[in-house]
Amino acid sequence: MGEGIGCFIASLLGSTPVTGYSTNAGVTSITGIASRRVFVAAGAWFILFGFSGKLAALISAIPAAVIGGIFVIVCGIIAISGLQVMKNENIGEKEMYVIAVPMILTLALTLLPDDFLYSLPTTVQYLFSSPVATAAIIAILLNKILPRVK
């Protein structure tokens, strides 16, 4: 109901309607912050920033690849959070990344156009030709590189 009212008010003020997606759950899972006060404060800042054209220009200057990279990680964390809820098991932050990044990488390599794959060096072509093997290597590397939480 609040989302509908927010969209209505945004439309009346000449803005685009905005909606809350499940990425909020992913951001909450990544940051560990779920306080309403923090979200109210962030909302107040966003309202103030919404009246600044220069800030809007600055935000729109962020490259699409950066936004896409963040979105991919958040989507992976959301998927792992869903698995965590279904299995009723606690998965640590390190484990979330070790599972989510290779999962999204497998999907990305599956959707990679063949023309792009054949334009890469032979060694990279060989590595990327098997999304599951590439994801397994990345999972092993992430498991060794990321610090263990005590």
Side-chain angles (χ1 to χ4, degrees):
M1 188 164 158
E3 197 169 304
I5 293 170
C7 290
F8 179 71
I9 292 171
S11 298
L12 288 177
L13 296 174
S15 178
T16 57
V18 293
T19 182
Y21 295 104
S22 58
T23 52
N24 295 335
V27 170
T28 301
S29 176
I30 290 171
T31 63
I33 298 172
S35 170
R36 288 184 184 208
R37 291 181 182 159
V38 172
F39 285 106
V40 168
W45 279 106
F46 287 149
I47 289 170
L48 288 173
F49 290 156
F51 292 112
S52 171
K54 294 196 185 281
L55 182 66
L58 177 69
I59 291 172
S60 67
I62 297 173
V66 173
I67 300 295
I70 293 169
F71 182 70
V72 163
I73 297 297
V74 169
C75 287
I77 298 300
I78 290 168
I80 300 305
S81 294
L83 289 174
Q84 187 173 349
V85 169
M86 288 190 311
K87 291 283 290 178
N88 199 15
E89 191 169 318
N90 192 10
I91 299 174
E93 188 175 345
K94 175 185 176 180
E95 290 78 17
M96 277 191 179
Y97 286 106
V98 171
I99 297 169
V101 172
M103 182 177 70
I104 297 297
L105 181 66
T106 302
L107 182 62
L109 289 175
T110 303
L111 300 174
L112 191 69
D114 289 336
D115 295 342
F116 176 75
L117 184 63
Y118 295 134
S119 69
L120 298 173
T122 308
T123 308
V124 178
Q125 282 182 25
Y126 181 72
L127 181 65
F128 285 174
S129 64
S130 174
V132 174
T134 304
I137 291 169
I138 295 298
I140 292 168
L141 288 174
L142 283 174
N143 194 31
K144 294 295 180 186
I145 293 171
L146 292 176
R148 184 167 302 277
V149 178
K150 295 179 182 179

